[in-house]
PDB file of all heavy atoms in Angstrom:
ATOM      1  N   CYS A 499      19.604 -22.286 -33.816  1.00 96.00           N
ATOM      2  CA  CYS A 499      19.497 -21.589 -32.576  1.00 96.00           C
ATOM      3  C   CYS A 499      19.041 -20.131 -32.780  1.00 96.00           C
ATOM      4  O   CYS A 499      19.481 -19.484 -33.754  1.00 96.00           O
ATOM      5  CB  CYS A 499      20.886 -21.567 -31.840  1.00 96.00           C
ATOM      6  SG  CYS A 499      20.764 -20.817 -30.238  1.00 96.00           S
ATOM      7  N   ALA A 500      18.186 -19.645 -31.900  1.00 97.00           N
ATOM      8  CA  ALA A 500      17.677 -18.292 -32.069  1.00 97.00           C
ATOM      9  C   ALA A 500      18.535 -17.250 -31.386  1.00 97.00           C
ATOM     10  O   ALA A 500      18.276 -16.042 -31.566  1.00 97.00           O
ATOM     11  CB  ALA A 500      16.243 -18.229 -31.485  1.00 97.00           C
ATOM     12  N   MET A 501      19.507 -17.642 -30.604  1.00 97.00           N
ATOM     13  CA  MET A 501      20.202 -16.706 -29.756  1.00 97.00           C
ATOM     14  C   MET A 501      21.243 -15.890 -30.554  1.00 97.00           C
ATOM     15  O   MET A 501      21.588 -14.789 -30.119  1.00 97.00           O
ATOM     16  CB  MET A 501      20.961 -17.462 -28.623  1.00 97.00           C
ATOM     17  CG  MET A 501      19.993 -18.192 -27.713  1.00 97.00           C
ATOM     18  SD  MET A 501      18.781 -17.116 -26.921  1.00 97.00           S
ATOM     19  CE  MET A 501      17.240 -17.895 -27.303  1.00 97.00           C
ATOM     20  N   ARG A 502      21.728 -16.389 -31.665  1.00 95.00           N
ATOM     21  CA  ARG A 502      22.625 -15.694 -32.539  1.00 95.00           C
ATOM     22  C   ARG A 502      23.859 -15.003 -31.857  1.00 95.00           C
ATOM     23  O   ARG A 502      24.128 -13.828 -32.154  1.00 95.00           O
ATOM     24  CB  ARG A 502      21.822 -14.602 -33.308  1.00 95.00           C
ATOM     25  CG  ARG A 502      20.811 -15.220 -34.316  1.00 95.00           C
ATOM     26  CD  ARG A 502      20.232 -14.225 -35.263  1.00 95.00           C
ATOM     27  NE  ARG A 502      19.283 -14.813 -36.193  1.00 95.00           N
ATOM     28  CZ  ARG A 502      19.547 -15.437 -37.314  1.00 95.00           C
ATOM     29  NH1 ARG A 502      20.851 -15.523 -37.702  1.00 95.00           N
ATOM     30  NH2 ARG A 502      18.606 -15.956 -38.080  1.00 95.00           N
ATOM     31  N   CYS A 503      24.530 -15.702 -31.003  1.00 96.00           N
ATOM     32  CA  CYS A 503      25.755 -15.238 -30.423  1.00 96.00           C
ATOM     33  C   CYS A 503      26.682 -15.022 -31.624  1.00 96.00           C
ATOM     34  O   CYS A 503      26.825 -15.908 -32.458  1.00 96.00           O
ATOM     35  CB  CYS A 503      26.309 -16.212 -29.446  1.00 96.00           C
ATOM     36  SG  CYS A 503      25.132 -16.621 -28.157  1.00 96.00           S
ATOM     37  N   PHE A 505      29.802 -15.087 -32.193  1.00 94.00           N
ATOM     38  CA  PHE A 505      31.041 -15.911 -32.381  1.00 94.00           C
ATOM     39  C   PHE A 505      30.655 -17.330 -32.798  1.00 94.00           C
ATOM     40  O   PHE A 505      31.551 -18.155 -33.040  1.00 94.00           O
ATOM     41  CB  PHE A 505      31.878 -15.935 -31.095  1.00 94.00           C
ATOM     42  CG  PHE A 505      31.082 -16.259 -29.854  1.00 94.00           C
ATOM     43  CD1 PHE A 505      30.805 -17.578 -29.522  1.00 94.00           C
ATOM     44  CD2 PHE A 505      30.528 -15.208 -29.082  1.00 94.00           C
ATOM     45  CE1 PHE A 505      30.049 -17.847 -28.407  1.00 94.00           C
ATOM     46  CE2 PHE A 505      29.808 -15.523 -27.954  1.00 94.00           C
ATOM     47  CZ  PHE A 505      29.537 -16.834 -27.600  1.00 94.00           C
ATOM     48  N   CYS A 506      29.355 -17.689 -32.851  1.00 93.00           N
ATOM     49  CA  CYS A 506      28.982 -19.098 -32.950  1.00 93.00           C
ATOM     50  C   CYS A 506      28.341 -19.400 -34.314  1.00 93.00           C
ATOM     51  O   CYS A 506      27.444 -18.712 -34.736  1.00 93.00           O
ATOM     52  CB  CYS A 506      27.989 -19.435 -31.819  1.00 93.00           C
ATOM     53  SG  CYS A 506      27.194 -21.009 -32.006  1.00 93.00           S
ATOM     54  N   LEU A 507      28.859 -20.423 -34.961  1.00 91.00           N
ATOM     55  CA  LEU A 507      28.348 -20.774 -36.269  1.00 91.00           C
ATOM     56  C   LEU A 507      26.933 -21.350 -36.268  1.00 91.00           C
ATOM     57  O   LEU A 507      26.154 -21.169 -37.223  1.00 91.00           O
ATOM     58  CB  LEU A 507      29.293 -21.743 -36.985  1.00 91.00           C
ATOM     59  CG  LEU A 507      30.721 -21.244 -37.196  1.00 91.00           C
ATOM     60  CD1 LEU A 507      31.546 -22.284 -37.859  1.00 91.00           C
ATOM     61  CD2 LEU A 507      30.771 -19.901 -37.927  1.00 91.00           C
ATOM     62  N   THR A 508      26.557 -22.049 -35.178  1.00 89.00           N
ATOM     63  CA  THR A 508      25.184 -22.571 -35.100  1.00 89.00           C
ATOM     64  C   THR A 508      24.161 -21.406 -35.135  1.00 89.00           C
ATOM     65  O   THR A 508      23.115 -21.528 -35.718  1.00 89.00           O
ATOM     66  CB  THR A 508      24.996 -23.350 -33.715  1.00 89.00           C
ATOM     67  OG1 THR A 508      26.001 -24.264 -33.625  1.00 89.00           O
ATOM     68  CG2 THR A 508      23.654 -24.049 -33.719  1.00 89.00           C
ATOM     69  N   GLY A 509      24.564 -20.270 -34.473  1.00 90.00           N
ATOM     70  CA  GLY A 509      23.681 -19.124 -34.471  1.00 90.00           C
ATOM     71  C   GLY A 509      23.349 -18.594 -35.873  1.00 90.00           C
ATOM     72  O   GLY A 509      22.314 -17.985 -36.110  1.00 90.00           O
ATOM     73  N   GLY A 546      25.240 -28.763 -27.291  1.00 96.00           N
ATOM     74  CA  GLY A 546      25.311 -28.926 -28.739  1.00 96.00           C
ATOM     75  C   GLY A 546      24.498 -27.823 -29.430  1.00 96.00           C
ATOM     76  O   GLY A 546      24.545 -26.657 -28.957  1.00 96.00           O
ATOM     77  N   MET A 547      23.881 -28.111 -30.494  1.00 96.00           N
ATOM     78  CA  MET A 547      23.122 -27.084 -31.212  1.00 96.00           C
ATOM     79  C   MET A 547      21.943 -26.578 -30.339  1.00 96.00           C
ATOM     80  O   MET A 547      21.218 -27.408 -29.826  1.00 96.00           O
ATOM     81  CB  MET A 547      22.586 -27.585 -32.529  1.00 96.00           C
ATOM     82  CG  MET A 547      23.700 -27.960 -33.542  1.00 96.00           C
ATOM     83  SD  MET A 547      23.012 -28.835 -34.965  1.00 96.00           S
ATOM     84  CE  MET A 547      22.397 -27.509 -35.894  1.00 96.00           C
ATOM     85  N   GLY A 548      21.758 -25.245 -30.268  1.00 97.00           N
ATOM     86  CA  GLY A 548      20.572 -24.747 -29.635  1.00 97.00           C
ATOM     87  C   GLY A 548      20.785 -24.254 -28.204  1.00 97.00           C
ATOM     88  O   GLY A 548      21.814 -24.506 -27.560  1.00 97.00           O
ATOM     89  N   GLU A 549      19.797 -23.516 -27.729  1.00 98.00           N
ATOM     90  CA  GLU A 549      19.761 -22.997 -26.357  1.00 98.00           C
ATOM     91  C   GLU A 549      18.767 -23.886 -25.648  1.00 98.00           C
ATOM     92  O   GLU A 549      17.548 -23.812 -25.836  1.00 98.00           O
ATOM     93  CB  GLU A 549      19.337 -21.515 -26.365  1.00 98.00           C
ATOM     94  CG  GLU A 549      18.780 -21.010 -25.012  1.00 98.00           C
ATOM     95  CD  GLU A 549      19.700 -21.181 -23.858  1.00 98.00           C
ATOM     96  OE1 GLU A 549      20.885 -20.722 -23.922  1.00 98.00           O
ATOM     97  OE2 GLU A 549      19.236 -21.684 -22.796  1.00 98.00           O
ATOM     98  N   VAL A 582      22.731 -19.411 -22.227  1.00 98.00           N
ATOM     99  CA  VAL A 582      23.133 -18.043 -22.301  1.00 98.00           C
ATOM    100  C   VAL A 582      22.538 -17.233 -21.158  1.00 98.00           C
ATOM    101  O   VAL A 582      22.976 -16.075 -20.889  1.00 98.00           O
ATOM    102  CB  VAL A 582      22.712 -17.383 -23.609  1.00 98.00           C
ATOM    103  CG1 VAL A 582      23.436 -17.974 -24.808  1.00 98.00           C
ATOM    104  CG2 VAL A 582      21.211 -17.450 -23.836  1.00 98.00           C
ATOM    105  N   SER A 602      27.072 -19.489 -20.331  1.00 98.00           N
ATOM    106  CA  SER A 602      27.958 -18.942 -21.389  1.00 98.00           C
ATOM    107  C   SER A 602      28.093 -17.438 -21.143  1.00 98.00           C
ATOM    108  O   SER A 602      27.176 -16.711 -21.471  1.00 98.00           O
ATOM    109  CB  SER A 602      27.266 -19.308 -22.746  1.00 98.00           C
ATOM    110  OG  SER A 602      28.118 -18.873 -23.765  1.00 98.00           O
ATOM    111  N   MET A 615      26.534 -11.071 -27.520  1.00 98.00           N
ATOM    112  CA  MET A 615      25.428 -11.937 -27.113  1.00 98.00           C
ATOM    113  C   MET A 615      24.136 -11.082 -27.032  1.00 98.00           C
ATOM    114  O   MET A 615      23.863 -10.450 -26.009  1.00 98.00           O
ATOM    115  CB  MET A 615      25.652 -12.676 -25.783  1.00 98.00           C
ATOM    116  CG  MET A 615      26.919 -13.446 -25.847  1.00 98.00           C
ATOM    117  SD  MET A 615      27.249 -14.404 -24.317  1.00 98.00           S
ATOM    118  CE  MET A 615      25.969 -15.673 -24.442  1.00 98.00           C
TER     119      MET A 615
HETATM  120  S1  SF4 B 259      26.568 -20.205 -28.458  1.00 56.82           S
HETATM  121 FE1  SF4 B 259      24.879 -21.537 -27.891  1.00 56.82          FE
HETATM  122  S2  SF4 B 259      23.196 -20.106 -27.541  1.00 56.82           S
HETATM  123 FE2  SF4 B 259      24.727 -18.927 -28.635  1.00 56.82          FE
HETATM  124  S3  SF4 B 259      24.112 -19.127 -30.796  1.00 56.82           S
HETATM  125 FE3  SF4 B 259      25.561 -20.775 -30.379  1.00 56.82          FE
HETATM  126  S4  SF4 B 259      24.256 -22.534 -29.861  1.00 56.82           S
HETATM  127 FE4  SF4 B 259      23.025 -20.671 -29.649  1.00 56.82          FE
END
Side-chain angles (χ1 to χ4, degrees):
C499 183
M501 299 299 128
R502 294 193 180 274
C503 305
F505 49 84
C506 170
L507 300 181
T508 309
M547 293 170 82
E549 160 57 50
V582 293
S602 182
M615 302 185 72

